[in-house]
Each structure stands twice: as structure tokens, then as C-alpha cells.
Amino acid sequence: MSGMSAGRSAMRMGPAELVQAAAMARRFYLEGKSKIQIAEEFGVSRFKVARVLETALERDLVRIEIRVPAELDAERSDALRARYGLRHAVVVESPADAEETPDPENLGEVAADLLGELVNEGDVLGLAWGRSTIHMAAALDRLPPCTVVQLTGVYDAGTAERGSVEAVRRAAQVSGGDAHPIYAPMLLPDAATASALRNQTGIARAFEHFDKVTVACVSIGSWEPGISTVHDMLSDEERAHYASLGVAAEMSAHLFDAEGRRVGRDLGERCITVKADQLRSIPEVVAIAGGQRKGPAIDAVLRSGLVTSLVTDTSAADYLMTAGPAPKPALNRADPDGV
């Protein structure tokens, strides 16, 4: 074969080659057959099959498209997962009209689908108070049989039916498992009152499940009005005190500075909530938080090592991808305080 004819052969495939390549590609990509099986069917070597499949891609006989639902941003999700060393990161498109709104409601819908993947039969699912977790629970339509326990008290005991208690009941109803709600405020006036409540039968029963939780769902708050439950429950003097300690974020009544270190630990003595060490020992802790205003708070909590997975939006993700030096991988679950 002359050099010119060889060049023409390399530039195009004849009809027999095209038909064979299309058939092999159909077997491999659509029918799931192995290269060895295809080689046996066509009477060629598996190396020939590999070359044909490679050529089919180069000649556009086969086009591979990776598609996810339009609201999911796969590129940002993967980049965010890698940056923070998370097990899962799911980034959804921020609503066009919600630039200043924290935790868009669509985060809860996506988180509900994620929990449907993560929770297995026999697990113990823990839900902490937060608007995003309430939205998530409302969107649940599938969960395997599991026990559901409330991890924190509520923002206001008078709104329990519309908040965490109802979220726990909803999740248990969907899963068909037992529910262990907590009928108590998250923040009490003093440590003695909080201690007394923890010993009440119903609350103590919920607390007994904290060490058995296998999947937890939590919210994250910025240290500012309307975006942190704890911030809104404190007096002006108390807010100023914790602000002086450098608090940048709040999660389940635990406070964190910008580096992910816990501050204001005395506050926990007044709260009905899961302990930070208990959260750290839970295999899967999913945080639901988004919005540009929450970016610094999400970064702080991720640096704490307490969270393994995150559901957020593009506004927060864009901030997180440039938020200071890359943190330690979250899956190490290392405590930034070193204690």
C-alpha cells in the first residue's frame, strides 16, 4: 500500500469497518458486553476490539455525554468535595432571585434525595434543628426503615409542631421507624435548668440514642441576626461576649471561629443538643446550608472536621472555592482544637 493510500485509509473508514465499529460500540456501550465477549462474537482479538472502540470515539461514531439534572452543578460539586475532602458534596443552582437569601428551599429537596441514598435499613437518623432540615424533612418521600431521633431542642418550644418535632415525625412516618422527638427549647436560662430537662424521661430517651446515630443532618448558621438560631435567642450582652471570642459560625448550638475551632463552650451547658464529640463519631454528618451570606460560616464549620458531606448552592460554593488556604480533609475528622 502506498503512503498516499495508507493516509486515505487512516482518514476514513470503509462501510464494512463503519458497520463493524457501530456494532461493537453498541455491544459495549449499550448492551454492557465485555471486550472479550465482543471479540469472541466477531472472531477477532480483544486488542482489535479496543482499537475499534477507540477509533469509534475519535470518529464521532460514539459520543459520550455525562448528564445530570439541570439544577445540579456537577463540576462545582466535585471541586468542592475535593477541596474539603468531603465524602459527598452536592451543589445546586442558586435561585436567580435569592441572592441574599440563606438556605434556598431547593437545598432541602436535594438533601432529601441524598438521605434516601445514604440511609440504610436499621440506621439511626439524627435531625438537628434548622430551617433547612425542616425543608428537607418535608420533601422526604423515601427512606428505608430506620429510627429517627432529634439532636437538638427547638428554637421555640411553642413552635415544636411546625419545627424539629414535626421533622422527626415526618421522617419516621416515611421510613416506618420509631421517632424520638425532644419537647424542649434548645437554649435554657442556665445550666441547672438544662441539666434538669436532660434528665426528664422523654428527653433522656432521645439522648440515649445519640451515640447510636449513623447518619445526621444538620444546619449551619452565620453569627448574625436571622441566620443563626442561637444568635437570635441570646441577649445583646451575650452576643457581644461571644462575638469577642471570634465566633463566625454556629451549628447545633456549638460555636466556631473562622478556623473551625470551637469557642464559647460554656454555652453548651445551657443547651439541649448533641455534643460535638458525639457528632464527630457519627459516620455520616450531612450539612445543609447555602447562600452567599453563609459562605464564611460554612467554611468555618467544614474546617471543624465535624461534617462529612455538604448540600449547598452555587453562591456559597463559589465563595468556598476561594476561601483561604485549603483545609485539612474533613474525612480525617480531626479536631482543630487538638483536644
Side-chain angles (χ1 to χ4, degrees), residues 144-160:
C146 65
T147 298
V148 186
V149 60
Q150 192 170 323
L151 295 178
T152 64
V154 297
Y155 174 55
D156 181 347
T159 64

Side-chain angles (χ1 to χ4, degrees), residues 79-88 259 280 299-309 325-336:
L80 198 61
R81 179 200 57 75
R83 173 174 169 80
Y84 286 91
L86 297 166
R87 185 171 290 118
H88 303 285
E259 300 301 319
R280 198 179 302 280
D299 177 61
V301 171
L302 292 183
R303 290 175 185 274
S304 74
L306 294 176
V307 170
T308 61
S309 297
K328 295 179 180 179
L331 293 184
N332 288 344
R333 312 303 293 274
D335 186 343

Side-chain angles (χ1 to χ4, degrees), residues 191-314:
T193 304
S195 178
L197 278 178
R198 292 189 200 103
N199 290 324
Q200 288 188 358
T201 303
I203 297 175
R205 187 177 298 119
F207 268 62
E208 289 173 358
H209 282 81
F210 286 180
D211 289 330
K212 304 173 186 176
V213 173
T214 50
V215 180
C217 191
V218 300
S219 297
I220 295 173
S222 301
W223 197 245
E224 55 181 304
I227 311 186
S228 165
T229 299
V230 173
H231 180 282
D232 291 346
M233 288 191 288
L234 294 172
S235 66
D236 290 341
E237 183 179 354
E238 289 170 326
R239 291 172 192 148
H241 166 67
Y242 291 117
S244 70
L245 300 179
V247 60
E250 172 260 318
M251 179 182 70
S252 303
H254 300 294
L255 309 181
F256 305 87
D257 67 12
E259 300 301 319
R261 295 181 295 253
R262 289 180 59 211
V263 296
R265 298 188 184 214
D266 61 301
L267 184 66
E269 298 175 4
R270 297 169 49 194
C271 293
I272 303 296
T273 185
V274 61
K275 295 179 181 178
D277 289 342
Q278 290 174 312
L279 280 173
R280 198 179 302 280
S281 67
I282 295 173
E284 185 75 76
V285 179
V286 181
I288 313 170
Q292 189 172 12
R293 290 172 64 187
K294 276 198 176 181
I298 299 171
D299 177 61
V301 171
L302 292 183
R303 290 175 185 274
S304 74
L306 294 176
V307 170
T308 61
S309 297
L310 175 69
V311 178
T312 190
D313 66 349
T314 52

Side-chain angles (χ1 to χ4, degrees), residues 129-143:
W129 195 97
R131 296 178 185 88
S132 57
T133 52
I134 292 170
H135 292 152
M136 180 277 300
L140 282 172
D141 59 10
R142 64 185 176 98
L143 270 182

Side-chain angles (χ1 to χ4, degrees), residues 3 18 63 174 233 270:
L18 285 169
R63 296 182 181 181
V174 172
M233 288 191 288
R270 297 169 49 194

Side-chain angles (χ1 to χ4, degrees), residues 6-13 59:
R8 283 198 298 270
S9 176
M11 290 174 60
R12 65 180 184 179
M13 301 172 68
R59 304 296 174 83

